[in-house]
Structures are given as structure tokens and as C-alpha cells.
Amino acid sequence: KNYVSFYAESGALAAAEVGRIEEKGYIQTFTDWPSVLERWPEARASKVALLVKDKPDGTRKSRLIIDLLRSGINGDVVNPERVVLPRVADLTESVLDLQTLTPQLEVELMTLDFEDAFHTLALKEEDRKNMVFKTGTGRAAFSRLCCGMSSAPLIWTRVAAAGCRLGQALFLARIHISEPTRRTPISDAVSSGK
């Protein structure tokens, strides 16, 4: 049986979220446990909770959180490092320092908000056997990274950092292309000893 939050409002909120993530291809549904075992003979199921957030505009955002700690699956994850996220105060101070140290430069900041960020990254087939949970009508297995995996924040942080570095490279390339610079040919630099 899942956590009580999964059954809130007679399970209608959970059913809607399961339907939404199934439609997007984030999970694969099964009619029953034997169907799951036919696909993955060593499958393990976990409980899920439903987190519901009421937004200021009156809409609701729901997320399923799979409890891989209690089922022991997170304990099997080899995660040799961890990510320590900066405090908001430290991040703000860093931005203010940047503006103080480089007043002649314009500081541009950008934020990206990925819808279903974790779900944008696919899981390997052999890992999906550990992502099974009970739905209102049967069973389902995540085919994407999901909330509740101990390694999900680290994996997503690496992808986000790579994306930021790519964005910086493209931004810097645009600056270098738009600003003419004097380039010394390699043959001149070698002969002059530069």
C-alpha cells in the first residue's frame, strides 16, 4: 500500500498525475504484479507518496515521490560523491561581488525552469526493475529519473552544469566574434619569441 497522500481526494489527484506522466512516457504501466515479474523477474516495488503544491494562480502541481530508501534500493546505489548546493545568501553575495569587481561589465543572469526536470533523463533498462510502484489500477515502473532516487540530484546537477557551461561558451563565443581583436599569426609569434 502507498502512503496516505497517494489516496487523497479518493486517489483522484494521484490518478491524474499517473495519467499525466504515463502520457508523457515517463512510466510504463502494468495490469498486475505478475506482468511486472514477466518483464523483470527480480523487480522490487516501492511505496510512493504524492506531493501536491497549490500555486498562487490557483492551479496545482503534483509530483510522485518513490520511497527507494525504505525499500532498500537507495542503499544499493553506489554514489561516491555528493552535491552541496549553495545557500541563497551565498549565491546573492557572489553575484553582488561580481558586480563590484567588474563594474565596467554588464552582468547578465538567466534562469531556466525545466518542466519535470528529473524526468528528462532516461533510465537504463536494468535499473527500471527497481522503480516499480503500485497505482490505483495496477503497477507502473519509471522509465526516467524520478523524485526519491538518492542519485537523482547529483545526476541532474551534472547535466545542468554541463548545460550552463555550454551556454557560457556560446555567450563568450558571441562576444569574441562581435568584438574585433588583433590576432598574431603563429609564424610571427614563433619568430618573435612570444
Side-chain angles (χ1 to χ4, degrees), residues 21-165:
I21 62 177
E22 180 183 18
E23 184 179 303
K24 290 190 170 212
Y26 302 155
I27 61 171
Q28 178 183 359
T29 56
F30 299 88
T31 55
D32 54 19
W33 184 245
S35 302
V36 173
L37 292 177
E38 186 178 315
R39 175 85 178 261
W40 301 293
E42 298 174 6
R44 294 191 283 176
S46 298
K47 294 171 78 170
V48 291
L50 181 71
L51 178 66
V52 179
K53 179 181 177 185
D54 292 321
K55 296 173 134 184
D57 64 2
T59 61
R60 282 184 161 170
K61 181 177 183 177
S62 300
R63 288 291 174 264
L64 289 177
I65 302 170
I66 190 166
D67 188 356
L68 299 176
L69 179 64
R70 184 169 279 175
S71 61
I73 294 166
N74 272 343
D76 295 340
V77 174
V78 176
N79 203 4
E81 57 189 291
R82 66 188 186 117
V83 174
V84 179
L85 298 175
R87 295 178 306 156
V88 174
D90 293 340
L91 184 62
T92 304
E93 186 178 321
S94 295
V95 170
L96 293 174
D97 287 347
L98 181 64
Q99 289 178 323
T100 304
L101 294 173
T102 56
Q104 70 280 7
L105 295 179
E106 220 176 272
V107 177
E108 293 186 31
L109 298 175
M110 178 177 73
T111 60
L112 296 173
D113 186 6
F114 288 86
E115 180 182 351
D116 300 326
F118 284 174
H119 297 318
T120 59
L121 303 173
L123 291 173
K124 294 189 293 187
E125 177 68 23
E126 67 238 32
D127 293 335
R128 293 179 58 202
K129 70 181 180 205
N130 296 319
M131 301 297 130
V132 179
F133 63 96
K134 188 175 183 179
T135 67
T137 58
R139 300 285 179 155
F142 278 100
S143 57
R144 304 295 186 135
L145 208 59
C146 56
C147 297
M149 296 175 68
S150 63
S151 58
L154 175 64
I155 293 167
W156 176 248
T157 301
R158 286 183 174 171
V159 170
C164 288
R165 284 192 286 278

Side-chain angles (χ1 to χ4, degrees), residues 182-193:
R182 184 175 175 274
R183 299 184 186 259
T184 305
I186 293 175
S187 57
D188 292 351
V190 170
S191 64
S192 67

